[in-house]
Amino acid sequence: MQVSPTNGIGADRPVNAQDPFDLEILANPYAFHEELREAGPIVWLEHYGLWGMGRFEEVHATLNDWQTFCSSAGVGISDFRKEKPWREPSILLEKDPPEHDRARSAMTKVLSPVAIRKLRADFEAFAEELVEQLVAKGEFDAVTDLAEVFPLKVFPDALGLESGERDYLLRYGNIAFNAFGPRNSLFEESMAEMPEVAKWINARCDRAKLSPDGLGAEIFGFADEGKITEHEAGMLVRSLLTAGVDTTVNGIGCALRSLAAHPEQWAALRDDPTLVRNAFEETLRYDSPVQTFFRTTTRPVDIGGVQVGEGEKVLMFLGAANRDPRKWENADQFDIRRKAAGHVGFGSGVHGCVGQMIARLEAEVVLKALTKRVHTLELTGEPTPKLNNTLRGWAHIPVRVTAK
Ligand code: OVM
């Protein structure tokens, strides 16, 4: 472990010199995660001049202490108090209580278990239809033919978005999640296409653009009741369009990749579909689709004996915490039977993923439809990683299936 003095505070602090957003590390982050966890409870990331956390205990505690680790200075590397954000800050993600809570409670109601239950039948029907076609094909790309196709239909449909041009949703998610990172090539490429894509997205956050029976219209119902303003309702629709598509695409993609790469795990799932929900939890632990988020300290704070100053950025490695051997037995093993509950793949605390029930439903119906129709699921080539400054996922997963 490398140790260097802090900025005049006097105590020693663990240091790591690597760039966590280096493309090679993004493609395979796990060796770096181990370095980070072993270095200490919080580590000075010299490359950017900010703090990183890879252990479960500290990441979990940080997520649950919004008073000390705020979101209103942005949850990416950029400090909103010093730099102008690339878009109007989210009224959910990039706000702290008490401001945050009004928006959150509207969103919690719109995405409640009762609301989500009503979506199940349509989701199942489409999953079965899609899987039927793919089984007939035999060989396909588990990302472009399934992990992208499914969320891109069912989620915008549930929201009440008109059909057509939905590729913009994938592009916007990719941009927004790249924008949390440093100004590397991924960031620059995303910003180059941002104006065109953001224009399309923003136009769809309007009440008039949403069908009267969808989740979007329900959000505007809160504006009618005076609970939020019309502008805030549009901003919440934007939150759904930002956070609701790429995340589930990558979650389903990671599940399919792990299952195809571990045939005994696929066989166990196929033979006992009651494992489907847990298999998805294990996916979120094993290959967390959202790898990182930042917080900013509101006061000086001691973390495991390391002194952290006020107004400093802290990068939480959710994906590293989810493989911390201090928390998980055989942490690097993909095991759909383990107790994966309690992972921080959906975050934790006041900002914990508000859409997690719908994400789980999407994954569940896709995996269940596969278990009904597919006997073997195998890779026919190496999957291609999809690099993003925040998300972990796959651009292509070539697979072959045999029918049950
Ligand atoms: C938002 C939002 C919420 C969660 C994640 C996220 C881009 C965005 O409110 O826009 O990632």
mmCIF file of all heavy atoms in Angstrom, residues 87 90-94 173 176-177 180 235 238-240 242-243 247 293, ligand 1:
data_model
loop_
_atom_site.group_PDB
_atom_site.id
_atom_site.type_symbol
_atom_site.label_atom_id
_atom_site.label_comp_id
_atom_site.label_asym_id
_atom_site.label_seq_id
_atom_site.Cartn_x
_atom_site.Cartn_y
_atom_site.Cartn_z
ATOM 1 N N ARG A 87 -26.616 20.032 -18.133
ATOM 2 C CA ARG A 87 -28.064 20.196 -18.314
ATOM 3 C C ARG A 87 -28.628 20.683 -16.988
ATOM 4 O O ARG A 87 -27.944 20.637 -15.951
ATOM 5 C CB ARG A 87 -28.725 18.871 -18.730
ATOM 6 C CG ARG A 87 -28.567 17.769 -17.701
ATOM 7 C CD ARG A 87 -29.353 16.512 -18.035
ATOM 8 N NE ARG A 87 -29.410 15.637 -16.851
ATOM 9 C CZ ARG A 87 -30.155 14.565 -16.729
ATOM 10 N NH1 ARG A 87 -30.929 14.196 -17.733
ATOM 11 N NH2 ARG A 87 -30.157 13.849 -15.632
ATOM 12 N N SER A 90 -31.150 17.402 -12.268
ATOM 13 C CA SER A 90 -32.327 16.600 -11.964
ATOM 14 C C SER A 90 -32.888 17.020 -10.606
ATOM 15 O O SER A 90 -32.134 17.224 -9.651
ATOM 16 C CB SER A 90 -31.943 15.115 -11.937
ATOM 17 O OG SER A 90 -32.938 14.364 -11.254
ATOM 18 N N ILE A 91 -34.212 17.102 -10.494
ATOM 19 C CA ILE A 91 -34.810 17.496 -9.203
ATOM 20 C C ILE A 91 -34.907 16.306 -8.242
ATOM 21 O O ILE A 91 -35.362 16.438 -7.106
ATOM 22 C CB ILE A 91 -36.201 18.150 -9.385
ATOM 23 C CG1 ILE A 91 -37.204 17.183 -10.018
ATOM 24 C CG2 ILE A 91 -36.076 19.430 -10.206
ATOM 25 C CD1 ILE A 91 -38.648 17.690 -9.979
ATOM 26 N N LEU A 92 -34.438 15.156 -8.720
ATOM 27 C CA LEU A 92 -34.465 13.934 -7.917
ATOM 28 C C LEU A 92 -33.037 13.546 -7.533
ATOM 29 O O LEU A 92 -32.664 13.504 -6.375
ATOM 30 C CB LEU A 92 -35.065 12.839 -8.813
ATOM 31 C CG LEU A 92 -35.876 11.711 -8.245
ATOM 32 C CD1 LEU A 92 -36.987 12.203 -7.353
ATOM 33 C CD2 LEU A 92 -36.448 10.899 -9.400
ATOM 34 N N LEU A 93 -32.249 13.297 -8.552
ATOM 35 C CA LEU A 93 -30.889 12.769 -8.388
ATOM 36 C C LEU A 93 -29.939 13.789 -7.790
ATOM 37 O O LEU A 93 -29.055 13.447 -7.000
ATOM 38 C CB LEU A 93 -30.379 12.360 -9.780
ATOM 39 C CG LEU A 93 -28.993 11.752 -9.865
ATOM 40 C CD1 LEU A 93 -29.030 10.321 -9.354
ATOM 41 C CD2 LEU A 93 -28.485 11.790 -11.301
ATOM 42 N N GLU A 94 -30.106 15.049 -8.192
ATOM 43 C CA GLU A 94 -29.101 16.065 -7.887
ATOM 44 C C GLU A 94 -29.611 17.111 -6.892
ATOM 45 O O GLU A 94 -29.246 18.276 -6.950
ATOM 46 C CB GLU A 94 -28.606 16.687 -9.213
ATOM 47 C CG GLU A 94 -27.806 15.649 -10.013
ATOM 48 C CD GLU A 94 -27.789 15.829 -11.526
ATOM 49 O OE1 GLU A 94 -28.706 16.480 -12.068
ATOM 50 O OE2 GLU A 94 -26.867 15.314 -12.171
ATOM 51 N N GLY A 173 -29.376 8.050 -22.625
ATOM 52 C CA GLY A 173 -28.889 7.389 -21.406
ATOM 53 C C GLY A 173 -27.377 7.267 -21.437
ATOM 54 O O GLY A 173 -26.683 7.572 -20.449
ATOM 55 N N ALA A 176 -25.912 10.701 -20.712
ATOM 56 C CA ALA A 176 -26.072 11.154 -19.318
ATOM 57 C C ALA A 176 -25.130 10.401 -18.386
ATOM 58 O O ALA A 176 -24.549 10.997 -17.468
ATOM 59 C CB ALA A 176 -27.522 10.968 -18.871
ATOM 60 N N PHE A 177 -24.974 9.105 -18.605
ATOM 61 C CA PHE A 177 -24.093 8.326 -17.727
ATOM 62 C C PHE A 177 -22.614 8.573 -18.034
ATOM 63 O O PHE A 177 -21.788 8.535 -17.130
ATOM 64 C CB PHE A 177 -24.466 6.835 -17.759
ATOM 65 C CG PHE A 177 -25.703 6.521 -16.955
ATOM 66 C CD1 PHE A 177 -26.953 6.372 -17.563
ATOM 67 C CD2 PHE A 177 -25.638 6.403 -15.576
ATOM 68 C CE1 PHE A 177 -28.105 6.103 -16.819
ATOM 69 C CE2 PHE A 177 -26.777 6.125 -14.811
ATOM 70 C CZ PHE A 177 -28.010 5.975 -15.437
ATOM 71 N N PHE A 180 -21.274 11.823 -16.135
ATOM 72 C CA PHE A 180 -20.858 11.808 -14.723
ATOM 73 C C PHE A 180 -19.334 11.677 -14.591
ATOM 74 O O PHE A 180 -18.772 11.901 -13.522
ATOM 75 C CB PHE A 180 -21.503 10.634 -13.969
ATOM 76 C CG PHE A 180 -23.002 10.758 -13.816
ATOM 77 C CD1 PHE A 180 -23.845 9.739 -14.253
ATOM 78 C CD2 PHE A 180 -23.565 11.881 -13.218
ATOM 79 C CE1 PHE A 180 -25.228 9.842 -14.105
ATOM 80 C CE2 PHE A 180 -24.942 11.988 -13.061
ATOM 81 C CZ PHE A 180 -25.771 10.972 -13.513
ATOM 82 N N MET A 235 -39.677 17.614 -15.622
ATOM 83 C CA MET A 235 -38.338 17.190 -15.182
ATOM 84 C C MET A 235 -38.352 15.748 -14.667
ATOM 85 O O MET A 235 -37.368 15.022 -14.814
ATOM 86 C CB MET A 235 -37.816 18.123 -14.083
ATOM 87 C CG MET A 235 -37.408 19.498 -14.592
ATOM 88 S SD MET A 235 -35.954 19.415 -15.659
ATOM 89 C CE MET A 235 -34.672 19.125 -14.425
ATOM 90 N N ARG A 238 -38.347 13.538 -17.550
ATOM 91 C CA ARG A 238 -36.965 13.480 -18.047
ATOM 92 C C ARG A 238 -36.131 12.483 -17.218
ATOM 93 O O ARG A 238 -35.321 11.729 -17.766
ATOM 94 C CB ARG A 238 -36.310 14.876 -18.006
ATOM 95 C CG ARG A 238 -35.008 14.943 -18.811
ATOM 96 C CD ARG A 238 -34.186 16.193 -18.502
ATOM 97 N NE ARG A 238 -33.582 16.125 -17.174
ATOM 98 C CZ ARG A 238 -32.717 17.030 -16.699
ATOM 99 N NH1 ARG A 238 -32.375 18.080 -17.439
ATOM 100 N NH2 ARG A 238 -32.215 16.898 -15.492
ATOM 101 N N SER A 239 -36.330 12.476 -15.903
ATOM 102 C CA SER A 239 -35.613 11.514 -15.057
ATOM 103 C C SER A 239 -35.910 10.070 -15.484
ATOM 104 O O SER A 239 -34.998 9.241 -15.569
ATOM 105 C CB SER A 239 -35.999 11.689 -13.590
ATOM 106 O OG SER A 239 -35.405 12.848 -13.055
ATOM 107 N N LEU A 240 -37.184 9.794 -15.754
ATOM 108 C CA LEU A 240 -37.534 8.432 -16.192
ATOM 109 C C LEU A 240 -36.880 8.093 -17.528
ATOM 110 O O LEU A 240 -36.376 6.992 -17.722
ATOM 111 C CB LEU A 240 -39.057 8.285 -16.321
ATOM 112 C CG LEU A 240 -39.866 8.286 -15.027
ATOM 113 C CD1 LEU A 240 -41.357 8.207 -15.347
ATOM 114 C CD2 LEU A 240 -39.472 7.110 -14.141
ATOM 115 N N THR A 242 -34.157 9.325 -18.645
ATOM 116 C CA THR A 242 -32.703 9.262 -18.476
ATOM 117 C C THR A 242 -32.277 7.955 -17.827
ATOM 118 O O THR A 242 -31.326 7.309 -18.259
ATOM 119 C CB THR A 242 -32.218 10.405 -17.551
ATOM 120 O OG1 THR A 242 -32.758 11.639 -17.989
ATOM 121 C CG2 THR A 242 -30.703 10.501 -17.561
ATOM 122 N N ALA A 243 -32.955 7.611 -16.748
ATOM 123 C CA ALA A 243 -32.469 6.540 -15.876
ATOM 124 C C ALA A 243 -33.167 5.211 -16.129
ATOM 125 O O ALA A 243 -32.769 4.196 -15.568
ATOM 126 C CB ALA A 243 -32.656 6.944 -14.415
ATOM 127 N N THR A 247 -30.099 1.561 -18.097
ATOM 128 C CA THR A 247 -29.848 0.798 -16.877
ATOM 129 C C THR A 247 -30.413 -0.616 -16.996
ATOM 130 O O THR A 247 -29.723 -1.587 -16.693
ATOM 131 C CB THR A 247 -30.531 1.504 -15.702
ATOM 132 O OG1 THR A 247 -31.867 1.838 -16.113
ATOM 133 C CG2 THR A 247 -29.787 2.770 -15.298
ATOM 134 N N PHE A 293 -21.039 6.216 -8.388
ATOM 135 C CA PHE A 293 -21.650 7.533 -8.239
ATOM 136 C C PHE A 293 -20.761 8.329 -7.300
ATOM 137 O O PHE A 293 -20.087 7.751 -6.451
ATOM 138 C CB PHE A 293 -23.086 7.456 -7.667
ATOM 139 C CG PHE A 293 -24.154 7.419 -8.724
ATOM 140 C CD1 PHE A 293 -25.111 6.407 -8.736
ATOM 141 C CD2 PHE A 293 -24.228 8.407 -9.696
ATOM 142 C CE1 PHE A 293 -26.099 6.369 -9.722
ATOM 143 C CE2 PHE A 293 -25.209 8.376 -10.684
ATOM 144 C CZ PHE A 293 -26.142 7.360 -10.687
HETATM 145 C C1 OVM B 1 -32.315 11.667 -13.197
HETATM 146 C C2 OVM B 1 -31.498 10.427 -12.944
HETATM 147 C C3 OVM B 1 -31.792 9.588 -11.896
HETATM 148 C C4 OVM B 1 -31.023 8.453 -11.653
HETATM 149 C C5 OVM B 1 -29.957 8.186 -12.461
HETATM 150 C C6 OVM B 1 -29.677 9.025 -13.497
HETATM 151 C C7 OVM B 1 -28.364 9.387 -15.418
HETATM 152 C C8 OVM B 1 -30.441 10.142 -13.753
HETATM 153 O O1 OVM B 1 -33.088 12.023 -12.324
HETATM 154 O O2 OVM B 1 -32.167 12.274 -14.263
HETATM 155 O O3 OVM B 1 -28.617 8.703 -14.256
#
